[in-house]
C-alpha cells in the first residue's frame, strides 16, 4: 500500500488543485433534504461541508425536515395533509415543525462541533450562525384550500447573511420565516434555498436529495444521469413534465434549479445524498455525480450559423499555419457550418469545434477544437467539449473521437482513450494522413 498510495494520491491531489483555486472565496448555498438525516448520513455530510469550508468556500446550509415533521405528527396522532405537494400547516403541524427544526438545528450544530483526532473534523473550526434572516407571508387560500400557517419567502436579508459568511461563519437556515407582525410561517426548504441563492447571487446552489439527478431518458429507469443541462434545455424539459407533487418527481428539484439560474445563480445541482461524498465528487471532479443546470447564455455558447464562417476562419487560421490543425478552406467550413459549435461574445468568435457524424459506426469526429489564445485557460475548451458530447448523445451515438498531434494529454485528462488508426470508421480511415501520424483518441458518451 505504501508503494501504491503516492502514485494515486499525488496525481489525484494535483488534479483537484484547480478546483480549489477556482472555488476559494466563492459562495455555495447547500440545501439538505430531511431524508438525509433520517438515513443516518448527517455526520459524514457535515464532515464534507467542513472540508469545503476549510478550503475557503463560503457556505449557507438550508435544512429540510419533511420526514421529521411527519414523524412528530404521527406521534401525536395527527394526519399529515398536503395539497399540490405543499403541506397544510395547522396549529398542530406548526408546533411539530418547530419541534423538528429545533431538534435538527441541535444535531447539526453538534455535528459541526466535532473534533475527534483522525477524522475530517480534527482541528476544524466552523462557527454556525442562525437568525431571523427570512421574512415570509402566508400562502393563503388556493383552490379553496386554506394553507393556514404555510408561507412563502417574501424577502431574504442577503446583506446580513453576506456579512456573516464573509467573516468565516457558516449560516444555517431553517425553513421558517416571520411576518412583520411576528407571526411564524412554515416554508419549504427548496423555496428558502432558491430564494437565498438568488439574493446572494451565489456561485452554486446544491440540493442534496433522495433522487440521483435527471436521467438522460426519462422513459428508461436504467438510463444514465445527465450530468449537465443547459438552462434552455432544462426549461424545455420542464415544459413537458407534469406539475410535481412529490420530491421524487423529476420536475420537483429541477424547477427550483431553473428558477435559481434564471435569477442569476450560475450553477444549480441535484445530487444524491445516498452516494458517499456526493458533494465532494460534484465539486472537485470533472464530470461530477449528479445533474448540473448551467446558465449558458444563448449568445455565448451555441450552434454556428452561416454568419459565423468568417469568424471561424479567422480563429483557426493561426493554428493551421503552425501545423496544430489541418488546413480547411472556406468552402469546407461553409458546407459543414451546421456541424460547428461556437463560443461568441460581442460578435467575436473565440472558440469553436465541429462534430462530423459517422452514423453507421455510431460515432462522430470532434474536429477543429480551437480556443483563442486571448481566453485560453478559462475553461472554454471544456464548455465546448460538453456541448459536443450533448449533441452526440442527442443523435444516439456511442462515442466521439479526435485526431490530434499536440494536445493528446488534454483529451486523455478528460476521459479520452488512445486507439489504433484501424479503429476509425472506414470512410474516415481512407482520409487518414499517415505522414501526419495523428494520435486517435476515443471517448464514450
Amino acid at each position: 500500500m505504501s508503494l501504491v498510495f503516492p502514485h494515486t494520491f499525488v496525481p489525484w491531489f494535483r488534479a483537484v488543485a484547480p478546483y480549489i483555486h477556482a472555488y476559494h472565496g466563492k459562495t455555495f448555498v447547500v440545501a439538505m433534504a430531511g431524508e438525509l438525516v433520517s438515513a443516518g448520513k448527517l455526520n459524514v455530510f457535515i464532515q464534507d461541508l467542513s472540508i469545503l469550508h476549510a478550503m475557503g468556500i463560503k457556505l449557507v446550509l438550508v435544512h429540510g425536515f419533511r420526514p421529521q415533521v411527519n414523524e412528530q405528527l404521527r406521534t401525536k396522532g395527527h394526519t399529515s395533509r398536503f395539497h399540490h405537494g405543499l403541506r397544510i400547516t395547522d396549529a398542530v403541524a406548526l408546533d411539530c415543525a418547530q419541534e423538528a427544526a429545533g431538534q435538527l438545528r441541535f444535531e447539526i450544530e453538534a455535528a459541526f462541533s466535532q473534533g475527534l483526532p483522525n477524522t475530517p473534523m480534527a482541528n476544524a473550526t466552523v462557527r454556525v450562525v442562525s437568525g431571523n434572516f427570512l421574512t415570509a407571508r402566508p400562502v393563503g387560500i388556493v383552490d379553496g384550500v386554506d394553507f393556514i400557517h404555510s408561507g412563502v419567502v417574501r424577502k431574504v436579508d442577503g446583506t446580513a447573511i453576506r456579512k456573516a459568511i464573509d467573516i468565516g461563519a457558516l449560516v444555517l437556515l431553517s425553513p421558517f420565516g416571520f411576518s412583520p407582525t411576528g407571526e411564524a410561517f412554515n416554508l419549504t426548504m427548496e423555496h428558502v434555498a432558491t430564494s437565498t441563492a438568488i439574493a446572494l447571487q451565489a456561485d452554486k446552489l446544491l440540493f442534496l436529495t433522495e433522487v440521483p439527478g435527471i436521467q438522460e431518458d426519462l422513459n428508461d429507469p436504467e438510463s444514465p444521469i445527465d450530468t449537465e443541462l443547459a438552462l434552455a434545455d432544462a426549461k424545455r424539459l420542464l415544459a413537458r413534465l407534469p406539475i410535481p407533487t412529490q420530491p421524487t418527481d423529476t420536475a420537483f428539484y429541477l424547477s427550483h434549479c431553473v428558477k435559481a439560474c434564471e435569477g442569476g445563480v450560475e450553477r444549480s445541482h441535484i445530487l444524491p445524498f445516498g452516494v458517499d461524498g456526493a458533494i465532494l465528487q460534484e465539486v472537485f471532479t470533472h464530470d461530477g455525480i449528479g445533474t448540473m443546470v448551467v446558465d449558458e447564455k444563448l449568445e455565448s455558447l451555441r450552434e454556428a450559423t452561416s454568419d459565423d464562417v468568417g469568424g471561424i476562419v479567422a480563429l483557426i487560421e493561426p493554428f493551421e499555419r503552425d501545423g496544430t490543425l489541418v488546413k480547411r478552406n472556406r468552402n469546407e467550413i461553409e458546407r459543414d457550418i451546421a456541424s460547428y459549435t461556437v463560443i461568441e461574445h460581442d460578435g467575436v468568435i473565440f472558440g469553436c469545434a465541429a462534430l462530423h457524424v459517422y452514423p453507421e459506426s455510431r460515432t462522430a469526429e470532434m474536429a477543429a477544437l480551437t480556443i483563442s489564445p486571448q481566453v485560453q485557460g478559462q475553461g472554454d475548451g471544456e464548455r465546448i467539449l460538453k456541448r459536443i458530447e450533448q449533441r452526440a448523445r442527442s443523435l444516439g451515438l456511442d462515442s466521439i473521437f479526435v485526431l490530434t498531434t499536440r494536445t493528446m494529454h488534454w483529451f486523455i485528462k478528460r476521459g479520452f482513450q488512445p486507439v489504433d488508426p484501424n479503429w476509425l470508421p472506414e470512410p474516415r480511415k481512407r482520409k487518414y494522413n499517415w505522414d501526419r501520424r495523428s494520435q486517435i483518441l476515443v471517448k464514450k458518451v
Side-chain angles (χ1 to χ4, degrees):
M1 182 64 181
S2 60
L3 294 176
V4 176
F5 183 67
H7 297 291
T8 56
F9 171 77
V10 173
W12 170 83
F13 200 75
R14 287 171 177 162
V16 166
Y19 299 101
I20 298 174
H21 295 310
Y23 294 133
H24 183 84
K26 302 297 185 181
T27 300
F28 291 4
V29 175
V30 181
M32 176 190 77
E35 285 78 3
L36 181 151
V37 181
S38 299
K41 297 183 179 296
L42 179 62
N43 283 344
V44 174
F45 175 63
I46 294 302
Q47 290 174 2
D48 291 346
L49 284 186
S50 73
I51 293 172
L52 298 184
H53 184 270
M55 291 180 175
I57 295 172
K58 301 174 182 180
L59 294 173
V60 177
L61 175 61
V62 183
H63 74 79
F65 55 13
R66 178 180 289 224
Q68 288 78 16
V69 174
N70 289 344
E71 180 60 32
Q72 292 272 3
L73 286 168
R74 279 194 297 270
T75 301
K76 296 184 178 182
H78 203 70
T79 304
S80 298
R81 292 191 296 148
F82 294 86
H83 182 67
H84 292 320
L86 184 62
R87 186 185 297 278
I88 299 170
T89 309
D90 57 19
V92 176
L94 183 63
D95 285 342
C96 291
Q98 290 170 341
E99 291 178 23
Q103 179 65 31
L104 277 175
R105 290 166 74 97
F106 178 85
E107 292 180 22
I108 291 169
E109 291 182 11
F112 274 117
S113 300
Q114 298 176 80
L116 293 174
N118 300 321
T119 72
M121 296 297 290
N123 301 315
T125 304
V126 183
R127 295 289 173 249
V128 179
V129 172
S130 302
N132 55 339
F133 295 112
L134 305 173
T135 304
R137 62 173 178 81
V139 172
I141 300 174
V142 180
D143 299 332
V145 177
D146 188 353
F147 283 87
I148 316 175
H149 298 292
S150 295
V152 294
V153 176
R154 182 195 295 267
K155 182 182 177 183
V156 177
D157 190 348
T159 301
I161 294 175
R162 175 64 64 186
K163 287 180 180 177
I165 60 178
D166 282 348
I167 62 172
L170 179 146
V171 170
L172 173 62
L173 298 179
S174 293
F176 274 107
F178 303 93
S179 71
T181 59
E183 186 178 0
F185 290 102
N186 177 29
L187 311 175
T188 68
M189 172 271 285
E190 301 80 22
H191 190 195
V192 170
T194 303
S195 300
T196 302
I198 292 172
L200 295 174
Q201 291 293 279
D203 299 283
K204 284 183 181 292
L205 168 62
L206 303 107
F207 288 107
L208 270 295
T209 77
E210 57 271 61
V211 297
I214 308 299
Q215 291 176 304
E216 292 180 2
D217 183 354
L218 299 182
N219 297 317
D220 180 7
E222 301 299 321
S223 69
I225 297 300
D226 196 340
T227 57
E228 183 174 328
L229 271 175
L231 176 58
D233 294 332
K235 291 169 71 173
R236 282 192 288 269
L237 176 59
L238 268 182
R240 303 198 311 264
L241 293 171
I243 296 174
T245 59
Q246 298 292 331
T248 51
D249 292 342
T250 300
F252 188 85
Y253 290 108
L254 183 61
S255 61
H256 293 284
C257 288
V258 166
K259 183 178 179 182
C261 287
E262 288 179 326
V265 180
E266 290 187 3
R267 305 283 189 269
S268 297
H269 305 252
I270 303 171
L271 309 178
F273 64 70
V275 175
D276 185 34
I279 195 167
L280 298 181
Q281 293 188 56
E282 181 71 5
V283 173
F284 295 117
T285 65
H286 178 256
D287 291 326
I289 190 169
T291 295
M292 175 176 68
V293 178
V294 53
D295 182 14
E296 296 289 6
K297 307 300 182 186
L298 292 178
E299 70 275 11
S300 175
L301 179 62
R302 56 177 174 78
E303 275 56 75
T305 69
S306 57
D307 294 334
D308 300 316
V309 172
I312 293 173
V313 170
L315 176 67
I316 67 178
E317 272 183 344
F319 297 93
E320 292 174 342
R321 286 197 300 268
D322 70 11
T324 302
L325 294 178
V326 174
K327 187 166 181 59
R328 293 166 177 81
N329 62 50
R330 188 184 183 99
N331 290 337
E332 283 183 276
I333 296 173
E334 288 179 346
R335 182 194 65 205
D336 299 332
I337 193 62
S339 67
Y340 279 83
T341 294
V342 297
I343 295 181
E344 168 261 329
H345 182 68
D346 288 339
V348 177
I349 303 296
F350 59 88
C352 74
L355 185 70
H356 302 312
V357 180
Y358 296 88
E360 298 83 2
S361 303
R362 298 181 62 83
T363 190
E365 178 182 5
M366 182 174 69
L369 176 60
T370 309
I371 302 297
S372 169
Q374 296 176 343
V375 296
Q376 285 181 1
Q378 298 181 15
D380 292 315
E382 294 191 14
R383 292 171 63 202
I384 291 182
L385 173 58
K386 285 284 188 183
R387 178 59 65 90
I388 290 292
E389 290 175 359
Q390 289 173 356
R391 293 184 70 177
R393 282 195 294 267
S394 70
L395 293 170
L397 304 180
D398 296 330
S399 63
I400 58 174
F401 67 91
V402 296
L403 276 72
T404 181
T405 57
R406 304 191 186 182
T407 55
M408 181 177 178
H409 292 287
W410 189 90
F411 289 108
I412 289 176
K413 213 172 138 184
R414 284 149 184 87
F416 285 78
Q417 299 292 329
V419 294
D420 188 86
N422 289 321
W423 180 92
L424 289 171
E426 199 59 40
R428 186 63 181 89
K429 195 188 304 182
R430 288 195 294 267
K431 295 189 292 183
Y432 180 75
N433 187 337
W434 292 93
D435 292 333
R436 186 174 168 83
R437 298 178 62 189
S438 297
Q439 297 289 322
I440 301 152
L441 300 106
V442 180
K443 181 177 183 179
K444 293 185 180 299
V445 295

